[in-house]
Amino acid sequence: MRGSRRLIFLAFILTTILPVGAALLLSHLGSPLAALCVSTLLGAVGIAFGSWFYRARLLRPTRNIVHVLERFRHGDVTVRCDGGPGVLSLLAAGVNDFLDQIVTGRKELVRVAPHIDMIVHNLPGGLLCCGLDFELRYVSDGLLQLLRCPREQFESLYGTNWRNLVFPDDLPSTIATLDEQREGQNEFRFSYRIRRADGTPCWIMESSRLTKNPDGSPEYICVIINDTEQKQIENRRIAVERQYRRALQSVCEMLIQVDLSNDRVLSEYERWDTIPRFRTSEPYSYSCTRFMQECVHPDDRNAFSATFCCKNLSLGSGEEAPVSYLEYRIKKPSGRYKWVAGTLVPLADETMQALTAIAYVVDIDERRRREDAAIDKSRRDGLTGLLNRNAMFEHIVSVIEEDEDGTARHSLLMIDLDNFKAINDNFGHAFGDAVLREAADAIRSVFRPTDAISRIGGDEFIVFLEDVSAPEILSRKAGEVVRALHKSYIGPNRNFPLSCSVGIAVYPDDGQAALALFKNADAAMYESKQRGKDGYSFVKTRESGE
């Protein structure tokens, strides 16, 4: 480096300072022509020296670097640059380091290339590259095997465009799916069918990424996997699911699939209503509330909400989530209510990472009506059709238990037929039974359909009036009963009069329990009999009438 600087300084002196100095000196001595000749001669010497210096110290080392690069490009990987003066020496060393790195990289590429080639050509499906216009640039052997097509026949069968690989029936939908996924994305994944060399379809799953090739142009790299077996499994699953769904629909009034994690209705089937109450993709909580308000019997709505509405469901995870079941009444389009059984079965969907459920409704109207009829029959008096003693007692107990704050007021009327034994003995038991049925009908005619009426045995009846305690109302009703049962039956030798005695007790004044009301009403009734029958009496000091 220091030697180069000295040579450059010497060339500068020979070409500038020395000729100028000689010219000034000779001009001062009075020899201008000599000065011109000497300076010209010295300048020529300096130029000759500079030319030599440029060729020997600068041009030759530079040409050597260019020559080395050219030889390396043509395959001579052992050639290297010679050292040069100054900066050129550093440049030559840098070029040699660069060439060493290329050689090392080539060796590594040669080492891994077989492995890369083996991976590319032995993928479960295959690999292809294409441009934005879908013109094919590369197709792997694995894809050719999937297509069952030799490489030499590929272009004649498929041309050079990816579109020709797609099964013709699927091309429009596949292009639409691809265009939808390509918007704003560099990676996408979708499934479609390709056309094999023999014309048969084959399901594949393609995963693609948009990249740039070495020349900078966009290029799709697509990994293709044979998806036929998976599709067959999925199609079998869908077919089995469809069969199960049809089987359920044949016995269900309603069938709904719900995504409980995201509060969405996934699918619905309703046999009994032309207007769907659960709509696909609608929030389940909203549909459930609307169905409850429009279709569920008012008396069953609280139980329905507690059993099926999202906010009240007790949901665990997977098999821990309990099955919900409820029997309730729904309104049919005709306006009539019928009994149904609703079941909600939570299901853990591992693929969706969500908790779904199947809800179905089964018609149990006929069964419930038979059961209710049987229950009602067990609670009824076989002769008159009125409630029996046990059913009436349970009813009164339940009504009293509902009065938590003690503000309700109810009344109980104990009715006993006067002289019934004489009629029954003289006219026979069949006639006596007819008299009891006639008496029951007469009592029914006096009271409301919602009032509880019971035959508790023999010729004794009870009427329980909810939310009625006014003495004037009770007196009027008791008087109507007395008049309705005031009759006379003509026998062979004489007439047999029929009347009744009524005892009245009021809750809670005359008893805060059902048994106390029974006893006090019975005592009031016997008081009426002692007064001459055919009348009514209140408990204790209340007004009585005949």
Side-chain angles (χ1 to χ4, degrees):
M1 186 72 178
R2 187 172 299 173
S4 298
R5 290 178 179 176
R6 288 175 180 174
L7 289 173
I8 293 173
F9 180 70
L10 179 59
F12 175 73
I13 292 175
L14 290 174
T15 56
T16 57
I17 298 177
L18 187 59
V20 172
L24 291 175
L25 178 61
L26 293 174
S27 177
H28 180 69
L29 295 175
S31 301
L33 182 59
L36 178 61
C37 292
V38 171
S39 62
T40 300
L41 179 60
L42 291 175
V45 173
I47 291 172
F49 179 77
S51 176
W52 170 83
F53 176 78
Y54 170 74
R55 288 195 305 273
R57 306 295 291 182
L58 295 177
L59 186 59
R60 187 177 300 164
T62 302
R63 284 179 176 175
N64 176 258
I65 293 174
V66 173
H67 179 67
V68 167
L69 292 175
E70 187 67 19
R71 289 177 61 188
F72 189 87
R73 189 172 70 84
H74 285 84
D76 188 357
V77 297
T78 60
V79 66
R80 294 294 183 272
C81 299
D82 297 333
V87 177
L88 292 176
S89 177
L90 295 176
L91 179 60
V95 170
N96 289 337
D97 289 342
F98 177 68
L99 297 179
D100 290 339
Q101 292 177 10
I102 292 177
V103 171
T104 303
R106 281 183 175 177
K107 289 180 180 180
E108 182 64 19
L109 183 61
V110 169
R111 186 183 69 82
V112 301
H115 300 283
I116 296 175
D117 189 66
M118 181 181 66
I119 292 172
V120 168
H121 292 291
N122 289 277
L123 287 172
L127 183 71
L128 66 83
C129 300
C130 64
L132 294 179
D133 56 357
F134 303 120
E135 285 296 311
L136 295 172
R137 297 174 180 175
Y138 174 78
V139 175
S140 71
D141 291 344
L143 181 56
L144 294 175
Q145 293 175 6
L146 190 60
L147 293 169
R148 298 173 182 173
C149 174
R151 186 172 291 277
E152 57 271 15
Q153 297 180 10
F154 179 82
E155 189 167 341
S156 62
L157 289 174
Y158 299 102
T160 59
N161 197 284
W162 167 82
R163 291 185 179 89
N164 299 324
L165 298 177
V166 183
F167 196 73
D169 294 347
D170 297 352
L171 184 59
S173 60
T174 302
I175 294 294
T177 302
L178 179 60
D179 290 341
E180 181 180 348
Q181 292 197 26
R182 283 200 302 178
E183 293 182 3
Q185 299 185 59
N186 290 332
E187 297 184 13
F188 40 88
R189 179 184 177 93
F190 61 106
S191 179
Y192 60 95
R193 291 185 297 176
I194 57 174
R195 176 176 58 88
R196 283 178 163 156
D198 57 5
T200 59
C202 173
W203 278 102
I204 61 151
M205 176 63 69
E206 178 180 320
S207 298
S208 302
R209 173 179 292 180
L210 180 61
T211 61
K212 290 186 177 181
N213 62 17
D215 63 9
S217 60
E219 184 175 72
Y220 286 114
I221 297 178
C222 309
V223 177
I224 293 174
I225 298 176
N226 190 342
D227 200 35
T228 301
E229 184 176 355
Q230 187 63 33
K231 277 293 181 180
Q232 290 174 346
I233 294 174
E234 182 180 351
N235 290 337
R236 283 196 296 268
R237 180 187 62 80
I238 292 173
V240 171
E241 180 180 333
R242 187 181 296 114
Q243 291 173 355
Y244 277 113
R245 183 176 291 274
R246 290 183 61 186
L248 281 172
Q249 289 175 354
S250 67
V251 298
C252 293
E253 296 294 297
M254 183 185 300
L255 181 64
I256 305 161
Q257 186 177 9
V258 183
D259 180 357
L260 296 175
S261 299
N262 299 302
D263 190 24
R264 282 287 179 273
V265 177
L266 300 178
S267 64
E268 56 82 24
Y269 163 78
E270 299 176 31
R271 177 196 296 177
W272 57 277
D273 202 346
T274 56
I275 303 175
R277 306 296 178 177
F278 291 83
R279 298 184 177 93
T280 303
S281 300
E282 191 174 66
Y284 169 70
S285 56
Y286 174 77
S287 297
C288 191
T289 302
R290 179 181 60 209
F291 175 76
M292 178 182 68
Q293 293 174 346
E294 295 180 357
C295 301
V296 178
H297 193 283
D299 294 344
D300 299 332
R301 287 174 185 171
N302 288 338
F304 181 90
S305 176
T307 306
F308 297 119
C309 287
C310 262
K311 61 182 180 181
N312 298 320
L313 288 176
S314 176
L315 300 177
S317 58
E319 298 180 356
E320 298 178 4
V323 175
S324 301
Y325 177 84
L326 178 68
E327 295 184 4
Y328 59 97
R329 288 160 290 181
I330 57 175
K331 184 190 293 184
K332 298 183 67 176
S334 62
R336 185 180 73 86
Y337 284 96
K338 71 174 183 177
W339 281 98
V340 297
T343 305
L344 186 143
V345 184
L347 304 169
D349 193 329
E350 298 179 356
T351 59
M352 295 175 57
Q353 303 246 328
L355 185 64
T356 61
I358 296 293
Y360 58 92
V361 174
V362 179
D363 185 352
I364 61 168
D365 191 63
E366 184 177 352
R367 173 177 68 80
R368 275 301 296 255
R369 293 188 183 280
R370 286 199 305 266
E371 291 176 355
D372 290 346
I375 293 173
D376 187 66
K377 185 176 181 180
S378 69
R379 292 166 55 84
R380 295 285 175 179
D381 172 51
L383 180 63
T384 63
L386 299 177
L387 292 175
N388 59 31
R389 182 185 184 90
N390 291 335
M392 174 60 88
F393 189 80
E394 290 173 1
H395 173 68
I396 296 174
V397 169
S398 66
V399 172
I400 291 175
E401 287 178 348
E402 291 176 0
D403 182 29
E404 297 179 354
D405 55 3
T407 59
R409 297 184 66 82
H410 313 298
S411 300
L412 187 146
L413 282 69
M414 180 77 72
I415 304 169
D416 184 80
L417 299 182
D418 301 324
N419 305 318
F420 175 74
K421 186 175 184 304
I423 295 174
N424 195 47
D425 291 342
N426 284 275
F427 290 91
H429 293 293
F431 188 85
D433 290 345
V435 171
L436 290 174
R437 285 193 291 268
E438 186 177 344
D441 292 339
I443 295 172
R444 281 195 190 99
S445 67
V446 173
F447 297 96
R448 300 169 298 182
T450 55
D451 294 331
I453 305 174
S454 169
R455 176 178 175 241
I456 61 174
D459 57 356
E460 288 185 312
F461 299 85
I462 285 179
V463 179
F464 186 71
L465 306 177
E466 296 184 41
D467 301 317
V468 177
S469 63
E472 60 274 14
I473 296 177
L474 295 174
S475 296
R476 187 179 74 249
K477 287 295 181 181
E480 291 177 8
V481 171
V482 170
R483 289 189 292 274
L485 295 177
H486 188 86
K487 297 182 179 181
S488 179
Y489 295 94
I490 301 174
N493 300 317
R494 63 187 179 92
N495 293 340
F496 293 88
L498 180 70
S499 62
C500 71
S501 298
V502 181
I504 305 170
V506 177
Y507 167 85
D509 300 344
D510 301 329
Q512 297 183 358
L515 188 58
L517 285 175
F518 268 78
K519 290 181 177 180
N520 289 329
D522 189 63
M525 182 265 295
Y526 275 106
E527 182 181 349
S528 178
K529 283 184 177 292
Q530 291 173 359
R531 291 182 177 181
K533 303 179 181 180
D534 198 20
Y536 61 89
S537 297
F538 285 89
V539 173
K540 297 180 182 178
T541 59
R542 293 177 184 267
E543 176 185 359
S544 300
E546 296 183 2

